[in-house]
Amino acid sequence: MKNLFRAATLLATMTASVPLLAHTFVYVSEADDGTIARYALNEQTGALQLLGHTHAGGKVMPMTLSADHKHLYAAIRSKPLQLVSWDIDRNSGDLHQSTSVTAAASYPYISTDRQGRFLLGASYDGDVVHVYRLTSDGKLTAPPVGSYKTGHAAHSVIVDASGENAYVGNLGTDRVLQLKLSKEGDLTALGNGYVKTAADNGPRHSVLSPDNRYLYNIGEMGGIITQFRREPGGELVKVAEMPNAVAAQYRLAHGRERPPGYSDTTPRIWSADIRLTPDGRFLYVSERTSSTISGYRVSKADGKLSLIDSWQVEKQPRGIAITSDGRWLIASGEKSAVIGSYAIEAGSGELKRVSEAAAGGDANWVTTVTYN
């Protein structure tokens, strides 16, 4: 009996000393299929395993996580326009629908604040940003509690760490809007309400550095990455511009807006997504015409960018995401039958393709979540 007790005690001690493995799940919205593909990502090898598909109820595109990572939100861009939320099963990655509300506009971009109060949507077609209140358990409520007319073609909206300032990539006006976000969800101009990028750059998506010192915006049509410094009150000051990394190599003409029915066959700059590693050391952008991702080192001193290299990825890469440990980048392709996972070399930021898994029609937005 004593030996059995000692063995049980030893086993318990050994079990307690073994670190719990993390579970990383990847979600990709498949617009043409009206589904969200679910994958497991092996944190050690980067291997992707397709787990299944969740029906979203229409043309599902942008997605975002709740602040506590318990819920996934998505915008349905076919009629009837909707915002949908799912509870995430942290063990299996399965999605269980929680709420579905009528959307006040069609949103190509949605995001949440870190305080778990609001979901924000930028509408390209409606030239507006809307703010929806979230309940304490992450459910969506409608109609929106706040709105702000942006000017032509609002393409993204993100909120800073304080939850007090929002930034909008306004493609049609070559502006990044700077706004105050109140505790009630109202949006008002911060300072004069905007800062400008290069002419015809078409500001699309933005990211904030982990320390909130800098904002980086990628232009869809010019492919220029514009770096802004954030002042203590949240206002932006432009400090640098990084030209498109692949336009000359692939002989890409300057981009144009692409409304429904766009038929120009000239190869043009068509930049899409922008992401930073969680430690802020590396930044990556996707360019759809060349089917490339370009990577940059970020200076710790002043946030300036220096090009690492560009890599061929999935065809017409719409979305990219980086895991919370900064080791893996996942890329989707609107015209690719697979998504790919890429190892991020810790010292150099170089990308190395390590795995792929099947993807549905028009794979676009990529979201990852890790549970310990």
Side-chain angles (χ1 to χ4, degrees):
M1 183 65 71
K2 288 183 178 179
N3 289 338
L4 286 174
F5 178 77
R6 288 171 182 164
T9 303
L10 178 61
L11 179 61
T13 302
M14 291 173 62
T15 302
S17 65
V18 175
L20 294 175
L21 294 177
H23 299 281
T24 296
F25 301 109
V26 177
Y27 300 97
V28 176
S29 55
E30 302 166 322
D32 285 350
D33 297 344
T35 54
I36 297 172
R38 310 185 309 273
Y39 305 85
L41 176 72
N42 185 308
E43 292 90 357
Q44 303 306 312
T45 67
L48 288 163
Q49 177 189 358
L50 177 62
L51 301 175
H53 302 267
T54 299
H55 290 280
K59 186 176 182 179
V60 58
M61 295 188 74
M63 301 185 296
T64 192
L65 289 170
S66 61
D68 59 11
H69 291 182
K70 292 181 179 180
H71 315 286
L72 179 72
Y73 305 100
I76 308 300
R77 302 192 68 193
S78 55
K79 293 184 178 179
L81 302 174
Q82 302 170 71
L83 289 168
V84 185
S85 69
W86 292 268
D87 298 332
I88 303 173
D89 186 319
R90 62 182 297 127
N91 295 311
S92 66
D94 287 350
L95 300 176
H96 305 283
Q97 187 170 324
S98 173
T99 51
S100 176
V101 301
T102 298
S106 173
Y107 305 117
Y109 197 107
I110 59 174
S111 62
T112 56
D113 67 343
R114 293 191 187 181
Q115 290 70 33
R117 304 166 303 170
F118 304 116
L119 179 143
L120 296 86
S123 177
Y124 186 101
D125 305 324
D127 306 334
V128 68
V129 170
H130 287 139
V131 182
Y132 293 82
R133 186 173 294 280
L134 300 172
T135 64
S136 59
D137 58 354
K139 289 182 171 58
L140 291 158
T141 64
V145 295
S147 66
Y148 190 90
K149 291 298 289 183
T150 59
H152 178 50
H155 217 312
S156 65
V157 55
I158 59 174
V159 181
D160 71 354
S162 73
E164 298 177 353
N165 304 295
Y167 303 98
V168 178
N170 206 162
L171 183 145
T173 63
D174 293 319
R175 294 175 175 179
V176 174
L177 306 188
Q178 50 188 28
L179 308 174
K180 294 292 292 182
L181 174 63
S182 76
K183 294 180 180 179
E184 292 72 36
D186 296 318
L187 290 170
T188 54
L190 172 63
N192 67 358
Y194 67 89
V195 286
K196 292 190 68 65
T197 67
D200 298 322
N201 193 37
R204 183 178 166 92
H205 291 180
S206 300
V207 288
L208 283 162
S209 60
D211 59 10
N212 270 239
R213 292 171 61 200
Y214 303 106
L215 181 143
Y216 302 89
N217 176 272
I218 180 67
E220 177 175 317
M221 300 179 296
I224 296 170
I225 303 170
T226 310
Q227 177 194 353
F228 298 94
R229 184 183 69 250
R230 291 182 72 247
E231 299 290 272
E235 294 185 57
L236 301 176
V237 178
K238 184 164 69 174
V239 294
E241 294 177 328
M242 175 63 66
N244 182 274
V246 296
Q249 179 182 352
Y250 291 92
R251 299 180 181 179
L252 303 181
H254 197 89
R256 291 180 178 174
E257 284 193 53
R258 300 185 181 224
Y262 178 88
S263 60
D264 182 5
T265 58
T266 302
R268 295 184 182 279
I269 296 171
W270 196 20
S271 297
D273 214 356
I274 182 169
R275 300 288 176 179
L276 274 164
T277 53
D279 60 10
R281 295 174 58 225
F282 304 116
L283 180 145
Y284 301 90
V285 296
S286 63
E287 201 291 315
R288 285 175 283 187
T289 302
S290 61
S291 295
T292 58
I293 288 176
S294 297
Y296 300 83
R297 295 181 189 86
V298 182
S299 167
K300 186 176 181 180
D302 59 10
K304 298 287 181 64
L305 303 178
S306 56
L307 180 65
I308 302 169
D309 205 346
S310 300
W311 305 272
Q312 282 282 312
V313 295
E314 280 58 41
K315 189 172 183 180
Q316 203 167 294
R318 164 59 186 77
I320 55 177
I322 297 171
T323 55
S324 59
D325 60 6
R327 294 181 61 194
W328 310 105
L329 181 147
I330 313 298
S332 72
E334 292 171 307
K335 292 186 176 181
S336 173
V338 299
I339 65 166
S341 64
Y342 296 79
I344 300 174
E345 206 286 319
S348 67
E350 293 273 347
L351 294 184
K352 179 183 178 182
R353 196 169 195 271
V354 295
S355 182
E356 66 179 40
D362 192 7
N364 56 94
W365 205 273
V366 185
T367 301
T368 71
V369 63
T370 299
Y371 300 109
N372 294 316

Short mmCIF file of all heavy atoms in Angstrom, two decimals, residues 312 326 329:
data_model
loop_
_atom_site.label_atom_id
_atom_site.label_comp_id
_atom_site.label_asym_id
_atom_site.label_seq_id
_atom_site.Cartn_x
_atom_site.Cartn_y
_atom_site.Cartn_z
N GLN A 312 6.83 34.67 -52.00
CA GLN A 312 5.62 34.19 -52.67
C GLN A 312 4.78 33.39 -51.68
O GLN A 312 5.30 32.54 -50.95
CB GLN A 312 5.99 33.31 -53.87
CG GLN A 312 6.42 34.08 -55.10
CD GLN A 312 5.22 34.67 -55.84
OE1 GLN A 312 4.24 33.99 -56.11
NE2 GLN A 312 5.31 35.94 -56.19
N GLY A 326 4.18 34.83 -31.59
CA GLY A 326 5.01 35.46 -32.61
C GLY A 326 5.80 34.50 -33.46
O GLY A 326 6.68 34.93 -34.22
N LEU A 329 3.04 32.73 -38.89
CA LEU A 329 2.17 33.60 -39.69
C LEU A 329 1.29 32.71 -40.56
O LEU A 329 1.78 31.77 -41.19
CB LEU A 329 3.01 34.54 -40.55
CG LEU A 329 2.24 35.54 -41.43
CD1 LEU A 329 3.04 36.85 -41.57
CD2 LEU A 329 1.94 34.99 -42.82
#
